[in-house]
Amino acid sequence: QVQLVESGGGLVQAGGSLRLSCAASGRTFSSYVMGWFRQAPGKEREFVSSISRSGGNTYNVDSVKGRFTISRDNAKNTLYLQMNSLKPEDTAVYYCAAALILQLRMVPNSVDYWGQGTQVTVSS
């Protein structure tokens, strides 16, 4: 069992930055591919970014490439998402996700554990 707790969301102006964190319980954090999804009001949950178990490989969707950076610290059981140059269309609830399946292009059905989500609001 893995519990995920996100933090770091908030309100920011367009062009600003936020850093999300996801603290994981348990001693098996490094066994999971980790990722971030987001869900805007009235829309489906969408995949944003992921990182391999060792942290050596990452994957970002086109809409966030060059702006978002995912990282992890396996010693601290923590996942991060550094978000720069934020846009109003980045406004959503951001969810941390953990998956045992070894694919970086995560889909909701492949996720084993979800966090509760943290709200990110970008004003224009």
Side-chain angles (χ1 to χ4, degrees):
Q1 187 78 7
V2 175
Q3 290 186 325
L4 305 173
V5 179
E6 301 98 333
S7 61
L11 173 64
V12 64
Q13 289 188 333
S17 299
L18 283 174
R19 188 193 196 201
L20 304 183
S21 298
C22 173
S25 66
R27 294 175 289 179
T28 60
F29 178 72
S30 60
S31 300
Y32 293 86
V33 170
M34 298 297 297
W36 292 94
F37 287 72
R38 66 187 180 187
Q39 188 167 18
K43 295 187 176 181
E44 293 187 351
R45 190 170 298 189
E46 66 170 351
F47 168 71
V48 176
S49 183
S50 64
I51 188 166
S52 62
R53 295 180 298 178
S54 68
N57 292 291
T58 62
Y59 185 98
N60 295 294
V61 295
D62 287 345
S63 60
V64 307
K65 281 181 180 177
R67 300 189 300 121
F68 291 10
T69 302
I70 189 171
S71 61
R72 67 190 296 166
D73 186 335
N74 286 343
K76 295 182 178 180
N77 283 7
T78 305
L79 175 73
Y80 303 99
L81 185 68
Q82 178 66 45
M83 305 186 294
N84 299 327
S85 302
L86 282 161
K87 304 175 180 180
E89 52 263 43
D90 295 318
T91 295
V93 177
Y94 283 71
Y95 296 91
C96 174
L100 284 172
I101 190 168
L102 298 181
Q103 64 180 40
L104 287 181
R105 187 59 174 93
M106 298 175 78
V107 294
N109 286 346
S110 71
V111 174
D112 294 287
Y113 299 101
W114 293 99
Q116 84 287 352
T118 185
Q119 176 71 47
V120 171
T121 303
V122 185
S123 63
S124 58

